[in-house]
PDB file of all heavy atoms in Angstrom:
ATOM      1  N   MET A 163      11.265  -5.162   1.238  1.00  0.00           N
ATOM      2  CA  MET A 163      12.722  -5.125   1.419  1.00  0.00           C
ATOM      3  C   MET A 163      13.159  -3.883   2.210  1.00  0.00           C
ATOM      4  O   MET A 163      14.264  -3.832   2.738  1.00  0.00           O
ATOM      5  CB  MET A 163      13.444  -5.158   0.065  1.00  0.00           C
ATOM      6  CG  MET A 163      13.402  -6.497  -0.639  1.00  0.00           C
ATOM      7  SD  MET A 163      14.310  -7.820   0.190  1.00  0.00           S
ATOM      8  CE  MET A 163      16.015  -7.392  -0.172  1.00  0.00           C
ATOM      9  N   ALA A 164      12.281  -2.881   2.288  1.00  0.00           N
ATOM     10  CA  ALA A 164      12.592  -1.689   3.099  1.00  0.00           C
ATOM     11  C   ALA A 164      12.272  -1.939   4.572  1.00  0.00           C
ATOM     12  O   ALA A 164      12.482  -1.079   5.410  1.00  0.00           O
ATOM     13  CB  ALA A 164      11.814  -0.485   2.585  1.00  0.00           C
ATOM     14  N   LYS A 165      11.756  -3.118   4.886  1.00  0.00           N
ATOM     15  CA  LYS A 165      11.358  -3.500   6.252  1.00  0.00           C
ATOM     16  C   LYS A 165      10.425  -2.455   6.884  1.00  0.00           C
ATOM     17  O   LYS A 165      10.728  -1.853   7.918  1.00  0.00           O
ATOM     18  CB  LYS A 165      12.608  -3.695   7.135  1.00  0.00           C
ATOM     19  CG  LYS A 165      12.414  -4.777   8.196  1.00  0.00           C
ATOM     20  CD  LYS A 165      13.712  -5.065   8.890  1.00  0.00           C
ATOM     21  CE  LYS A 165      13.644  -6.043  10.018  1.00  0.00           C
ATOM     22  NZ  LYS A 165      12.586  -6.988  10.112  1.00  0.00           N
ATOM     23  N   PRO A 166       9.272  -2.230   6.236  1.00  0.00           N
ATOM     24  CA  PRO A 166       8.377  -1.164   6.708  1.00  0.00           C
ATOM     25  C   PRO A 166       7.640  -1.522   7.996  1.00  0.00           C
ATOM     26  O   PRO A 166       7.401  -2.703   8.273  1.00  0.00           O
ATOM     27  CB  PRO A 166       7.380  -1.027   5.559  1.00  0.00           C
ATOM     28  CG  PRO A 166       7.337  -2.383   4.932  1.00  0.00           C
ATOM     29  CD  PRO A 166       8.729  -2.933   5.060  1.00  0.00           C
ATOM     30  N   LYS A 167       7.274  -0.483   8.730  1.00  0.00           N
ATOM     31  CA  LYS A 167       6.355  -0.670   9.860  1.00  0.00           C
ATOM     32  C   LYS A 167       4.930  -0.614   9.327  1.00  0.00           C
ATOM     33  O   LYS A 167       4.052  -1.276   9.833  1.00  0.00           O
ATOM     34  CB  LYS A 167       6.574   0.442  10.891  1.00  0.00           C
ATOM     35  CG  LYS A 167       7.960   0.419  11.522  1.00  0.00           C
ATOM     36  CD  LYS A 167       8.030   1.441  12.659  1.00  0.00           C
ATOM     37  CE  LYS A 167       9.331   1.354  13.415  1.00  0.00           C
ATOM     38  NZ  LYS A 167      10.411   2.120  12.774  1.00  0.00           N
ATOM     39  N   ILE A 168       4.728   0.246   8.327  1.00  0.00           N
ATOM     40  CA  ILE A 168       3.409   0.309   7.675  1.00  0.00           C
ATOM     41  C   ILE A 168       3.602   0.200   6.168  1.00  0.00           C
ATOM     42  O   ILE A 168       4.524   0.788   5.597  1.00  0.00           O
ATOM     43  CB  ILE A 168       2.609   1.575   8.076  1.00  0.00           C
ATOM     44  CG1 ILE A 168       1.189   1.513   7.508  1.00  0.00           C
ATOM     45  CG2 ILE A 168       3.277   2.854   7.636  1.00  0.00           C
ATOM     46  CD1 ILE A 168       0.240   2.532   8.117  1.00  0.00           C
ATOM     47  N   PHE A 169       2.708  -0.578   5.569  1.00  0.00           N
ATOM     48  CA  PHE A 169       2.799  -0.907   4.150  1.00  0.00           C
ATOM     49  C   PHE A 169       1.594  -0.253   3.469  1.00  0.00           C
ATOM     50  O   PHE A 169       0.443  -0.577   3.797  1.00  0.00           O
ATOM     51  CB  PHE A 169       2.712  -2.428   4.071  1.00  0.00           C
ATOM     52  CG  PHE A 169       3.375  -3.051   2.883  1.00  0.00           C
ATOM     53  CD1 PHE A 169       4.342  -2.395   2.147  1.00  0.00           C
ATOM     54  CD2 PHE A 169       3.039  -4.348   2.503  1.00  0.00           C
ATOM     55  CE1 PHE A 169       4.971  -2.997   1.073  1.00  0.00           C
ATOM     56  CE2 PHE A 169       3.647  -4.969   1.429  1.00  0.00           C
ATOM     57  CZ  PHE A 169       4.617  -4.284   0.709  1.00  0.00           C
ATOM     58  N   LEU A 170       1.831   0.648   2.521  1.00  0.00           N
ATOM     59  CA  LEU A 170       0.743   1.301   1.795  1.00  0.00           C
ATOM     60  C   LEU A 170       0.609   0.601   0.445  1.00  0.00           C
ATOM     61  O   LEU A 170       1.551   0.612  -0.350  1.00  0.00           O
ATOM     62  CB  LEU A 170       1.065   2.784   1.565  1.00  0.00           C
ATOM     63  CG  LEU A 170       1.587   3.598   2.760  1.00  0.00           C
ATOM     64  CD1 LEU A 170       1.883   5.048   2.316  1.00  0.00           C
ATOM     65  CD2 LEU A 170       0.588   3.598   3.906  1.00  0.00           C
ATOM     66  N   LEU A 171      -0.528  -0.013   0.213  1.00  0.00           N
ATOM     67  CA  LEU A 171      -0.715  -0.798  -1.016  1.00  0.00           C
ATOM     68  C   LEU A 171      -1.806  -0.167  -1.862  1.00  0.00           C
ATOM     69  O   LEU A 171      -2.952  -0.043  -1.415  1.00  0.00           O
ATOM     70  CB  LEU A 171      -1.133  -2.232  -0.665  1.00  0.00           C
ATOM     71  CG  LEU A 171      -0.111  -3.074   0.088  1.00  0.00           C
ATOM     72  CD1 LEU A 171      -0.740  -4.409   0.513  1.00  0.00           C
ATOM     73  CD2 LEU A 171       1.088  -3.347  -0.807  1.00  0.00           C
ATOM     74  N   ASP A 172      -1.448   0.234  -3.094  1.00  0.00           N
ATOM     75  CA  ASP A 172      -2.416   0.887  -3.965  1.00  0.00           C
ATOM     76  C   ASP A 172      -2.887  -0.092  -5.047  1.00  0.00           C
ATOM     77  O   ASP A 172      -2.132  -0.406  -5.963  1.00  0.00           O
ATOM     78  CB  ASP A 172      -1.800   2.139  -4.599  1.00  0.00           C
ATOM     79  CG  ASP A 172      -2.862   3.094  -5.141  1.00  0.00           C
ATOM     80  OD1 ASP A 172      -4.031   2.659  -5.284  1.00  0.00           O
ATOM     81  OD2 ASP A 172      -2.530   4.251  -5.431  1.00  0.00           O
ATOM     82  N   GLU A 173      -4.105  -0.552  -4.921  1.00  0.00           N
ATOM     83  CA  GLU A 173      -4.758  -1.436  -5.907  1.00  0.00           C
ATOM     84  C   GLU A 173      -3.916  -2.662  -6.264  1.00  0.00           C
ATOM     85  O   GLU A 173      -3.650  -2.911  -7.458  1.00  0.00           O
ATOM     86  CB  GLU A 173      -5.041  -0.655  -7.201  1.00  0.00           C
ATOM     87  CG  GLU A 173      -5.820   0.614  -7.003  1.00  0.00           C
ATOM     88  CD  GLU A 173      -7.324   0.427  -7.147  1.00  0.00           C
ATOM     89  OE1 GLU A 173      -7.779  -0.733  -7.135  1.00  0.00           O
ATOM     90  OE2 GLU A 173      -8.015   1.430  -7.242  1.00  0.00           O
ATOM     91  N   PRO A 174      -3.512  -3.465  -5.290  1.00  0.00           N
ATOM     92  CA  PRO A 174      -2.680  -4.618  -5.637  1.00  0.00           C
ATOM     93  C   PRO A 174      -3.378  -5.650  -6.514  1.00  0.00           C
ATOM     94  O   PRO A 174      -2.710  -6.433  -7.186  1.00  0.00           O
ATOM     95  CB  PRO A 174      -2.318  -5.222  -4.275  1.00  0.00           C
ATOM     96  CG  PRO A 174      -3.329  -4.698  -3.322  1.00  0.00           C
ATOM     97  CD  PRO A 174      -3.733  -3.350  -3.846  1.00  0.00           C
TER      98      PRO A 174
END
Side-chain angles (χ1 to χ4, degrees):
M163 288 293 285
K165 213 172 176 22
K167 296 187 174 84
I168 187 166
F169 207 20
L170 313 179
L171 295 173
D172 199 345
E173 306 268 14

